[in-house]
Protein backbone atom coordinates (compact mmCIF):
# COMPACT_ATOMS: atom_id res chain seq x y z
CA UNK A 1 0.00 0.00 0.00
CA UNK A 2 2.87 2.39 0.66
CA UNK A 3 6.44 2.80 1.65
CA UNK A 4 7.35 0.96 4.80
CA UNK A 5 10.77 1.72 6.09
CA UNK A 6 12.24 -1.09 8.07
CA UNK A 7 14.42 0.21 10.78
CA UNK A 8 17.85 -1.11 11.42
CA UNK A 9 17.63 -4.02 13.82
CA UNK A 10 19.85 -4.22 16.85
CA UNK A 11 23.42 -4.70 15.65
CA UNK A 12 23.62 -8.08 17.40
CA UNK A 13 21.07 -9.34 14.88
CA UNK A 14 22.89 -7.96 11.85
CA UNK A 15 25.11 -10.13 9.66
CA UNK A 16 28.77 -9.22 10.16
CA UNK A 17 30.85 -7.07 7.85
CA UNK A 18 31.84 -9.05 4.78
CA UNK A 19 28.88 -11.46 4.94
CA UNK A 20 26.29 -11.29 2.17
CA UNK A 21 23.19 -12.06 4.23
CA UNK A 22 22.03 -13.33 7.59
CA UNK A 23 18.89 -14.79 9.08
CA UNK A 24 15.95 -12.73 7.83
CA UNK A 25 14.26 -10.78 10.64
CA UNK A 26 11.18 -9.16 9.11
CA UNK A 27 9.10 -9.74 6.02
CA UNK A 28 6.53 -7.59 4.27
CA UNK A 29 3.66 -9.71 2.98
CA UNK A 30 1.84 -7.97 0.15
CA UNK A 31 -1.12 -10.31 0.29
CA UNK A 32 -3.03 -8.47 -2.44
CA UNK A 33 -2.73 -5.44 -4.69
CA UNK A 34 -6.48 -4.78 -4.44
CA UNK A 35 -7.19 -1.55 -2.57
CA UNK A 36 -10.23 0.73 -2.28
CA UNK A 37 -7.90 3.75 -2.16
CA UNK A 38 -6.02 5.13 -5.16
CA UNK A 39 -3.11 6.95 -3.54
CA UNK A 40 -0.84 8.39 -6.24
CA UNK A 41 2.24 7.73 -4.07
CA UNK A 42 1.66 4.00 -3.81
CA UNK A 43 4.88 2.03 -4.00
CA UNK A 44 3.18 -0.92 -5.68
CA UNK A 45 4.34 -1.56 -9.25
CA UNK A 46 2.43 0.10 -12.11
CA UNK A 47 1.48 -3.36 -13.29
CA UNK A 48 -0.73 -4.35 -10.37
CA UNK A 49 -1.15 -8.06 -9.73
CA UNK A 50 -4.61 -9.33 -10.70
CA UNK A 51 -6.70 -11.04 -7.99
CA UNK A 52 -6.64 -14.34 -9.93
CA UNK A 53 -2.85 -14.50 -9.59
CA UNK A 54 -2.88 -14.16 -5.78
CA UNK A 55 -1.61 -16.98 -3.58
CA UNK A 56 -4.35 -19.10 -2.02
CA UNK A 57 -4.94 -19.29 1.73
CA UNK A 58 -3.15 -22.62 2.08
CA UNK A 59 -0.08 -21.25 0.25
CA UNK A 60 0.17 -18.31 2.65
CA UNK A 61 -0.31 -20.57 5.68
CA UNK A 62 2.54 -22.81 4.51
CA UNK A 63 4.70 -19.77 3.78
CA UNK A 64 4.09 -18.33 7.27
CA UNK A 65 5.37 -21.51 8.89
CA UNK A 66 8.37 -21.60 6.54
CA UNK A 67 9.13 -17.98 7.48
CA UNK A 68 9.21 -18.81 11.19
CA UNK A 69 11.46 -21.83 10.54
CA UNK A 70 13.82 -19.60 8.57
CA UNK A 71 14.30 -17.24 11.53
CA UNK A 72 11.83 -14.51 10.63
CA UNK A 73 10.51 -12.73 13.73
CA UNK A 74 8.01 -10.20 12.40
CA UNK A 75 5.56 -10.17 9.54
CA UNK A 76 3.77 -7.13 8.21
CA UNK A 77 0.48 -7.83 6.44
CA UNK A 78 0.27 -5.21 3.74
CA UNK A 79 -0.89 -4.80 0.16
CA UNK A 80 -2.76 -3.21 -1.50
CA UNK A 81 -5.25 -3.35 1.29
CA UNK A 82 -4.73 -6.53 3.35
CA UNK A 83 -8.31 -6.35 4.67
CA UNK A 84 -9.45 -6.91 1.07
CA UNK A 85 -8.46 -10.58 1.57
CA UNK A 86 -11.44 -12.44 2.98
CA UNK A 87 -9.05 -14.84 4.73
CA UNK A 88 -6.99 -12.16 6.50
CA UNK A 89 -8.06 -13.30 9.99
CA UNK A 90 -7.07 -16.87 9.08
CA UNK A 91 -3.68 -15.64 7.86
CA UNK A 92 -3.05 -13.66 11.07
CA UNK A 93 -4.02 -16.75 13.10
CA UNK A 94 -1.53 -18.82 11.09
CA UNK A 95 1.20 -16.25 11.80
CA UNK A 96 0.42 -16.42 15.52
CA UNK A 97 0.39 -20.20 15.35
CA UNK A 98 3.85 -20.10 13.75
CA UNK A 99 5.12 -17.85 16.58
CA UNK A 100 5.44 -14.71 14.45
CA UNK A 101 4.85 -11.13 15.61
CA UNK A 102 2.25 -9.71 13.26
CA UNK A 103 1.47 -6.17 12.19
CA UNK A 104 -1.42 -5.02 10.00
CA UNK A 105 -0.65 -2.14 7.65
CA UNK A 106 -4.03 -0.90 6.49
CA UNK A 107 -5.92 2.05 5.04
CA UNK A 108 -8.51 1.39 7.74
CA UNK A 109 -11.52 2.11 5.54
CA UNK A 110 -13.00 -1.34 5.99
CA UNK A 111 -11.99 -2.09 9.57
CA UNK A 112 -15.16 -2.83 11.52
CA UNK A 113 -15.51 -3.49 15.24
CA UNK A 114 -16.30 -7.16 14.44
CA UNK A 115 -13.26 -7.69 12.21
CA UNK A 116 -10.98 -6.01 14.76
CA UNK A 117 -12.31 -8.33 17.46
CA UNK A 118 -11.60 -11.31 15.20
CA UNK A 119 -8.08 -10.05 14.48
CA UNK A 120 -7.45 -9.60 18.22
CA UNK A 121 -8.67 -13.14 18.83
CA UNK A 122 -6.31 -14.33 16.05
CA UNK A 123 -3.35 -12.81 17.92
CA UNK A 124 -2.56 -9.70 15.88
CA UNK A 125 0.01 -7.57 17.76
CA UNK A 126 -0.23 -4.15 16.20
CA UNK A 127 -2.21 -2.00 13.75
CA UNK A 128 -0.86 0.70 11.49
CA UNK A 129 -3.34 3.02 9.72
CA UNK A 130 -2.33 5.37 6.93
CA UNK A 131 -3.59 8.94 6.75
CA UNK A 132 -3.44 11.18 3.69
CA UNK A 133 -3.89 14.51 5.49
CA UNK A 134 -5.29 16.14 8.61
CA UNK A 135 -8.73 16.96 7.14
CA UNK A 136 -11.14 15.41 4.65
CA UNK A 137 -10.77 17.73 1.69
CA UNK A 138 -7.05 17.14 1.16
CA UNK A 139 -6.99 13.57 2.47
CA UNK A 140 -9.89 12.34 0.33
CA UNK A 141 -8.51 13.98 -2.81
CA UNK A 142 -5.08 12.39 -2.28
CA UNK A 143 -6.54 8.97 -1.49
CA UNK A 144 -9.06 9.20 -4.33
CA UNK A 145 -11.71 7.82 -1.98
CA UNK A 146 -14.81 9.68 -0.87
CA UNK A 147 -15.29 9.93 2.89
CA UNK A 148 -12.06 7.99 3.44
CA UNK A 149 -10.64 10.33 6.08
CA UNK A 150 -13.75 10.10 8.30
CA UNK A 151 -13.68 6.30 7.99
CA UNK A 152 -10.02 6.23 8.97
CA UNK A 153 -10.64 8.35 12.07
CA UNK A 154 -13.41 5.96 13.07
CA UNK A 155 -11.18 2.94 12.35
CA UNK A 156 -8.44 4.40 14.54
CA UNK A 157 -10.91 4.83 17.40
CA UNK A 158 -12.20 1.29 16.99
CA UNK A 159 -8.62 0.01 16.87
CA UNK A 160 -7.82 1.61 20.23
CA UNK A 161 -11.17 0.46 21.64
CA UNK A 162 -10.30 -3.12 20.66
CA UNK A 163 -7.14 -2.80 22.77
CA UNK A 164 -4.66 -2.59 19.89
CA UNK A 165 -1.71 -0.25 19.92
CA UNK A 166 -1.84 2.13 16.95
CA UNK A 167 0.70 3.61 14.61
CA UNK A 168 -0.43 6.51 12.46
CA UNK A 169 1.22 6.38 9.11
CA UNK A 170 1.53 9.94 7.83
CA UNK A 171 2.65 9.84 4.22
CA UNK A 172 4.00 13.25 3.36
CA UNK A 173 4.56 15.11 0.07
CA UNK A 174 4.29 18.61 -1.39
CA UNK A 175 0.48 18.64 -1.31
CA UNK A 176 0.07 17.80 2.39
CA UNK A 177 3.31 18.76 4.16
CA UNK A 178 1.67 21.96 5.44
CA UNK A 179 -0.67 19.75 7.50
CA UNK A 180 2.09 17.89 9.37
CA UNK A 181 1.65 19.68 12.74
CA UNK A 182 -2.09 18.87 12.69
CA UNK A 183 -1.37 15.26 11.71
CA UNK A 184 0.96 14.88 14.70
CA UNK A 185 -1.74 16.37 16.96
CA UNK A 186 -4.28 14.02 15.42
CA UNK A 187 -2.07 11.01 16.24
CA UNK A 188 -1.88 12.13 19.88
CA UNK A 189 -5.65 12.66 20.06
CA UNK A 190 -6.31 9.26 18.50
CA UNK A 191 -4.23 7.62 21.25
CA UNK A 192 -1.52 6.39 18.86
CA UNK A 193 1.74 5.19 20.43
CA UNK A 194 3.70 5.94 17.34
CA UNK A 195 3.64 7.98 14.15
CA UNK A 196 5.62 7.35 11.02
CA UNK A 197 6.29 10.63 9.28
CA UNK A 198 7.19 9.07 5.97
CA UNK A 199 8.14 11.33 3.13
CA UNK A 200 7.18 9.63 -0.12
CA UNK A 201 9.88 7.49 -1.72
CA UNK A 202 9.73 7.55 -5.49
CA UNK A 203 9.00 4.07 -6.82
CA UNK A 204 6.09 2.59 -8.74
CA UNK A 205 3.11 4.95 -8.77
CA UNK A 206 4.99 7.52 -6.71
CA UNK A 207 7.69 7.79 -9.39
CA UNK A 208 5.00 8.23 -12.01
CA UNK A 209 3.42 11.02 -9.90
CA UNK A 210 6.70 12.51 -8.78
CA UNK A 211 6.04 15.97 -10.27
CA UNK A 212 2.80 16.25 -8.29
CA UNK A 213 4.38 15.03 -5.04
CA UNK A 214 7.96 16.29 -4.82
CA UNK A 215 8.34 18.70 -1.90
CA UNK A 216 10.32 21.91 -2.06
CA UNK A 217 13.60 22.17 -0.18
CA UNK A 218 11.94 24.76 2.06
CA UNK A 219 9.14 22.34 2.94
CA UNK A 220 11.70 19.69 3.92
CA UNK A 221 13.55 22.12 6.15
CA UNK A 222 10.26 23.05 7.85
CA UNK A 223 9.37 19.37 8.15
CA UNK A 224 12.73 18.58 9.81
CA UNK A 225 12.12 21.36 12.31
CA UNK A 226 8.55 20.26 13.10
CA UNK A 227 9.64 16.65 13.64
CA UNK A 228 12.56 17.63 15.88
CA UNK A 229 10.31 19.89 17.98
CA UNK A 230 7.58 17.23 18.26
CA UNK A 231 10.08 14.52 19.27
CA UNK A 232 11.17 16.71 22.15
CA UNK A 233 7.68 17.80 23.21
CA UNK A 234 6.08 14.35 22.92
CA UNK A 235 8.82 12.23 24.49
CA UNK A 236 7.16 9.37 26.35
CA UNK A 237 3.81 10.06 24.65
CA UNK A 238 4.33 9.52 20.93
CA UNK A 239 7.25 7.79 19.23
CA UNK A 240 8.14 9.44 15.95
CA UNK A 241 9.86 7.58 13.15
CA UNK A 242 10.99 9.88 10.40
CA UNK A 243 11.71 9.00 6.78
CA UNK A 244 13.33 11.81 4.81
CA UNK A 245 12.99 12.21 1.02
CA UNK A 246 16.29 11.11 -0.44
CA UNK A 247 16.35 13.30 -3.55
CA UNK A 248 17.55 16.10 -1.27
CA UNK A 249 19.92 13.91 0.75
CA UNK A 250 23.70 13.79 0.69
CA UNK A 251 24.10 10.13 1.66
CA UNK A 252 21.80 7.49 0.18
CA UNK A 253 19.52 5.44 2.41
CA UNK A 254 20.63 1.95 3.41
CA UNK A 255 17.72 0.59 1.44
CA UNK A 256 16.16 -2.43 3.20
CA UNK A 257 19.37 -2.69 5.22
CA UNK A 258 21.11 -3.90 2.04
CA UNK A 259 19.72 -5.99 -0.84
CA UNK A 260 18.54 -9.40 0.42
CA UNK A 261 20.48 -8.96 3.66
CA UNK A 262 17.89 -9.31 6.44
CA UNK A 263 14.55 -8.29 4.98
CA UNK A 264 12.40 -9.32 2.06
CA UNK A 265 8.94 -9.00 0.56
CA UNK A 266 6.55 -11.52 -0.82
CA UNK A 267 4.34 -10.27 -3.65
CA UNK A 268 0.63 -11.21 -4.00
CA UNK A 269 1.63 -13.90 -6.50
CA UNK A 270 4.31 -15.34 -4.19
CA UNK A 271 7.47 -13.83 -5.63
CA UNK A 272 10.26 -13.28 -3.12
CA UNK A 273 11.60 -9.76 -3.61
CA UNK A 274 14.39 -7.92 -1.82
CA UNK A 275 12.01 -4.92 -1.58
CA UNK A 276 8.56 -3.92 -2.80
CA UNK A 277 9.88 -2.07 -5.84
CA UNK A 278 12.32 -4.72 -7.08
CA UNK A 279 10.07 -5.92 -9.89
CA UNK A 280 10.60 -2.54 -11.57
CA UNK A 281 14.14 -3.72 -12.39
CA UNK A 282 13.86 -5.50 -15.71
CA UNK A 283 16.04 -8.50 -16.45
CA UNK A 284 15.83 -10.03 -12.97
CA UNK A 285 13.83 -13.21 -12.53
CA UNK A 286 12.45 -13.46 -9.01
CA UNK A 287 11.73 -16.89 -7.59
CA UNK A 288 8.30 -17.82 -6.29
CA UNK A 289 7.18 -19.70 -3.20
CA UNK A 290 5.06 -21.69 -5.66
CA UNK A 291 8.21 -23.29 -7.10
CA UNK A 292 10.73 -23.45 -4.25
CA UNK A 293 10.98 -23.57 -0.48
CA UNK A 294 11.69 -20.24 1.19
CA UNK A 295 14.90 -21.65 2.66
CA UNK A 296 16.16 -22.43 -0.85
CA UNK A 297 15.08 -19.07 -2.22
CA UNK A 298 16.72 -17.11 0.62
CA UNK A 299 20.11 -18.71 0.05
CA UNK A 300 20.09 -19.55 -3.65
CA UNK A 301 17.74 -17.28 -5.62
CA UNK A 302 19.95 -15.75 -8.34
CA UNK A 303 17.97 -12.49 -8.18
CA UNK A 304 18.58 -12.16 -4.44
CA UNK A 305 22.24 -13.02 -4.82
CA UNK A 306 22.70 -10.55 -7.69
CA UNK A 307 23.26 -7.43 -5.51
CA UNK A 308 24.15 -8.96 -2.17
CA UNK A 309 27.27 -7.86 -0.33
CA UNK A 310 29.76 -5.67 -2.19
CA UNK A 311 31.25 -7.89 -4.94
CA UNK A 312 28.85 -6.57 -7.61
CA UNK A 313 29.87 -2.96 -7.06
CA UNK A 314 31.57 -0.70 -9.59
CA UNK A 315 33.20 2.63 -8.80
CA UNK A 316 32.59 4.92 -6.98
CA UNK A 317 30.98 2.34 -4.62
CA UNK A 318 33.66 -0.34 -4.98
CA UNK A 319 36.36 1.57 -3.10
CA UNK A 320 34.03 3.75 -1.02
CA UNK A 321 34.53 3.76 2.74
CA UNK A 322 30.72 3.68 3.21
CA UNK A 323 30.14 0.59 1.05
CA UNK A 324 29.36 -1.68 4.01
CA UNK A 325 27.13 0.98 5.60
CA UNK A 326 24.72 1.89 2.81
CA UNK A 327 25.57 -0.79 0.20
CA UNK A 328 25.46 1.84 -2.53
CA UNK A 329 21.90 2.94 -1.66
CA UNK A 330 18.84 1.68 -3.48
CA UNK A 331 19.14 -0.64 -6.52
CA UNK A 332 15.64 0.23 -7.76
CA UNK A 333 16.38 3.95 -7.66
CA UNK A 334 19.69 3.36 -9.46
CA UNK A 335 17.79 1.48 -12.16
CA UNK A 336 15.01 4.07 -12.41
CA UNK A 337 17.27 7.12 -12.51
CA UNK A 338 20.63 5.87 -13.85
CA UNK A 339 19.25 3.06 -16.02
CA UNK A 340 21.52 0.51 -14.31
CA UNK A 341 20.64 -1.33 -11.10
CA UNK A 342 24.37 -1.82 -10.47
CA UNK A 343 25.11 1.92 -10.48
CA UNK A 344 25.51 4.14 -7.43
CA UNK A 345 22.14 5.39 -6.18
CA UNK A 346 21.86 8.96 -7.55
CA UNK A 347 20.72 10.03 -4.05
CA UNK A 348 24.41 9.66 -3.11
CA UNK A 349 26.59 12.75 -3.52
CA UNK A 350 29.28 10.54 -5.10
CA UNK A 351 26.97 9.62 -7.97
CA UNK A 352 27.65 11.55 -11.20
CA UNK A 353 23.87 12.07 -11.43
CA UNK A 354 23.48 13.52 -7.94
CA UNK A 355 23.34 17.20 -8.94
CA UNK A 356 20.98 16.39 -11.77
CA UNK A 357 18.36 14.67 -9.60
CA UNK A 358 18.62 17.49 -7.08
CA UNK A 359 17.77 19.91 -9.90
CA UNK A 360 14.95 17.67 -11.14
CA UNK A 361 13.46 17.69 -7.64
CA UNK A 362 13.74 21.46 -7.36
CA UNK A 363 12.32 22.05 -10.84
CA UNK A 364 9.38 19.68 -10.38
CA UNK A 365 8.57 21.10 -6.96
CA UNK A 366 8.68 24.67 -8.31
CA UNK A 367 6.45 23.88 -11.33
CA UNK A 368 3.77 22.81 -8.84
CA UNK A 369 1.75 20.56 -11.14
CA UNK A 370 -1.03 19.25 -8.87
CA UNK A 371 -2.55 16.56 -11.12
CA UNK A 372 -2.44 12.91 -10.10
CA UNK A 373 -2.45 9.67 -12.10
CA UNK A 374 -4.47 7.68 -9.59
CA UNK A 375 -3.34 4.19 -8.65
CA UNK A 376 -5.89 1.66 -9.86
CA UNK A 377 -6.32 -1.14 -12.37
CA UNK A 378 -7.76 1.28 -14.97
CA UNK A 379 -5.15 4.04 -15.25
CA UNK A 380 -3.19 3.25 -18.41
CA UNK A 381 0.34 2.02 -17.80
CA UNK A 382 2.92 3.46 -20.23
CA UNK A 383 4.50 0.84 -22.46
CA UNK A 384 1.62 -1.64 -22.18
CA UNK B 1 -6.91 -3.89 36.02
CA UNK B 2 -6.92 -1.31 33.26
CA UNK B 3 -4.04 0.12 31.32
CA UNK B 4 -3.68 3.82 31.99
CA UNK B 5 -4.68 5.67 28.85
CA UNK B 6 -4.03 9.27 29.80
CA UNK B 7 -1.68 11.04 27.47
CA UNK B 8 1.13 12.25 29.63
CA UNK B 9 4.60 10.77 30.06
CA UNK B 10 4.90 8.19 32.82
CA UNK B 11 7.13 9.12 35.72
CA UNK B 12 8.41 5.88 37.22
CA UNK B 13 8.42 5.69 41.03
CA UNK B 14 9.03 2.74 43.41
CA UNK B 15 5.25 2.18 43.72
CA UNK B 16 4.61 2.26 39.95
CA UNK B 17 3.32 -0.98 38.45
CA UNK B 18 4.35 -1.61 34.87
CA UNK B 19 3.94 -4.33 32.26
CA UNK B 20 4.80 -4.95 28.64
CA UNK B 21 2.03 -3.62 26.37
CA UNK B 22 0.40 -6.02 23.91
CA UNK B 23 2.59 -4.90 21.03
CA UNK B 24 5.86 -5.50 22.88
CA UNK B 25 6.88 -9.12 23.27
CA UNK B 26 9.82 -10.64 25.08
CA UNK B 27 10.84 -13.95 23.59
CA UNK B 28 13.74 -16.34 23.58
CA UNK B 29 14.77 -17.06 20.01
CA UNK B 30 15.97 -20.65 19.81
CA UNK B 31 17.55 -20.22 16.38
CA UNK B 32 19.70 -17.26 17.44
CA UNK B 33 19.97 -18.42 21.05
CA UNK B 34 19.20 -14.98 22.46
CA UNK B 35 16.44 -13.01 24.13
CA UNK B 36 14.62 -10.54 21.92
CA UNK B 37 12.21 -7.70 22.56
CA UNK B 38 9.84 -7.37 19.63
CA UNK B 39 8.05 -4.06 19.01
CA UNK B 40 6.56 -2.44 15.90
CA UNK B 41 9.38 -2.14 13.34
CA UNK B 42 11.96 -2.67 16.08
CA UNK B 43 13.75 -5.66 17.51
CA UNK B 44 15.97 -5.18 20.53
CA UNK B 45 18.39 -7.59 22.18
CA UNK B 46 18.13 -6.95 25.93
CA UNK B 47 21.05 -8.05 28.14
CA UNK B 48 20.59 -10.57 30.97
CA UNK B 49 19.67 -8.02 33.61
CA UNK B 50 17.19 -6.26 31.33
CA UNK B 51 15.58 -9.64 30.57
CA UNK B 52 15.19 -10.30 34.33
CA UNK B 53 13.67 -6.86 34.85
CA UNK B 54 11.27 -7.25 31.91
CA UNK B 55 10.18 -10.68 33.14
CA UNK B 56 9.50 -9.30 36.62
CA UNK B 57 7.51 -6.34 35.25
CA UNK B 58 4.39 -8.46 34.91
CA UNK B 59 1.71 -5.96 35.87
CA UNK B 60 1.38 -7.26 39.43
CA UNK B 61 4.68 -6.17 41.03
CA UNK B 62 5.54 -2.57 41.80
CA UNK B 63 8.99 -1.40 40.74
CA UNK B 64 10.00 -1.69 44.40
CA UNK B 65 8.85 -5.31 44.47
CA UNK B 66 10.75 -5.94 41.23
CA UNK B 67 13.84 -4.64 43.01
CA UNK B 68 13.20 -6.87 46.02
CA UNK B 69 13.10 -9.87 43.71
CA UNK B 70 16.28 -8.75 41.94
CA UNK B 71 18.03 -8.18 45.29
CA UNK B 72 17.32 -11.81 46.10
CA UNK B 73 18.38 -13.15 42.68
CA UNK B 74 21.65 -11.20 42.61
CA UNK B 75 22.24 -11.26 46.40
CA UNK B 76 22.72 -7.49 46.40
CA UNK B 77 21.39 -4.80 48.74
CA UNK B 78 18.12 -3.33 47.42
CA UNK B 79 19.13 0.30 47.90
CA UNK B 80 22.00 -0.22 45.49
CA UNK B 81 19.69 -1.77 42.90
CA UNK B 82 16.65 0.45 43.08
CA UNK B 83 18.10 3.65 41.62
CA UNK B 84 19.48 1.77 38.60
CA UNK B 85 16.26 -0.14 38.03
CA UNK B 86 14.15 3.02 38.15
CA UNK B 87 16.39 4.56 35.47
CA UNK B 88 16.09 1.43 33.32
CA UNK B 89 12.31 1.14 33.71
CA UNK B 90 11.88 4.87 33.07
CA UNK B 91 13.92 4.57 29.88
CA UNK B 92 11.95 1.53 28.69
CA UNK B 93 8.64 3.28 29.51
CA UNK B 94 9.66 6.49 27.73
CA UNK B 95 10.42 4.44 24.63
CA UNK B 96 7.07 2.67 24.91
CA UNK B 97 8.36 -0.80 25.83
CA UNK B 98 6.68 -0.74 29.25
CA UNK B 99 3.45 0.92 30.31
CA UNK B 100 1.86 1.61 33.65
CA UNK B 101 -0.92 -0.58 34.96
CA UNK B 102 -3.52 0.63 37.43
CA UNK B 103 -3.90 -2.15 39.97
CA UNK B 104 -7.11 -0.85 41.44
CA UNK B 105 -5.54 -1.30 44.86
Amino acid sequence: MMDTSFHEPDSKLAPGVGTTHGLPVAVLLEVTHRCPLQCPYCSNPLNLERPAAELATEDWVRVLHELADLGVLQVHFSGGEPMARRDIVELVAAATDAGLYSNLITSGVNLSRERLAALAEAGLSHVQISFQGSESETADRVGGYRNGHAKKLEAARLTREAGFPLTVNAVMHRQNLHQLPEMIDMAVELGAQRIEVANVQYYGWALRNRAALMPTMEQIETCNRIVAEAEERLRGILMIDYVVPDYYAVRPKTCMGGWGRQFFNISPAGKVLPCHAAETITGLDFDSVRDHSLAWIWDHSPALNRYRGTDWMAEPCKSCEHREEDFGGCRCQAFALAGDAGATDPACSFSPLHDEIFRVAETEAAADDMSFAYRNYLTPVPGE
Amino acid sequence: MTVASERKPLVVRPETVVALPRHVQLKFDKLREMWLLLAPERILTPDDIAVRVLQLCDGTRSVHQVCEALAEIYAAPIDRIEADVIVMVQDLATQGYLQSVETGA
Side-chain angles (χ1 to χ4, degrees), chain A residues 4-5 10 13 23-24 71 73-74 99 101 120 124-125 165 188 192 194 236-237 239 241, chain B residues 7-9 22-23 25 27 29 31-32 34 36 38-45 94-95:
Chain A
T4 302
S5 63
D10 194 294
L13 292 175
L23 296 175
L73 302 163
Q74 294 182 323
Y101 180 108
L124 184 68
S125 301
V188 174
R194 188 168 156 273
I237 295 172
M239 295 271 290
D241 282 329
Chain B
R7 306 240 74 191
K8 57 183 183 197
R22 175 195 186 101
H23 59 292
Q25 294 164 15
K27 97 173 214 179
D29 181 30
L31 223 53
R32 296 174 179 82
M34 60 167 94
L36 302 171
L38 305 178
E41 311 254 352
R42 274 182 180 73
I43 300 167
L44 307 184
T45 55
T94 301
Q95 293 182 68

Side-chain angles (χ1 to χ4, degrees), chain A residues 81-98:
Chain A
E81 170 52 64
M83 296 305 293
R85 290 266 320 197
R86 253 181 276 178
D87 57 359
I88 188 68
V89 173
E90 205 177 325
L91 301 186
V92 168
T96 305
D97 186 40

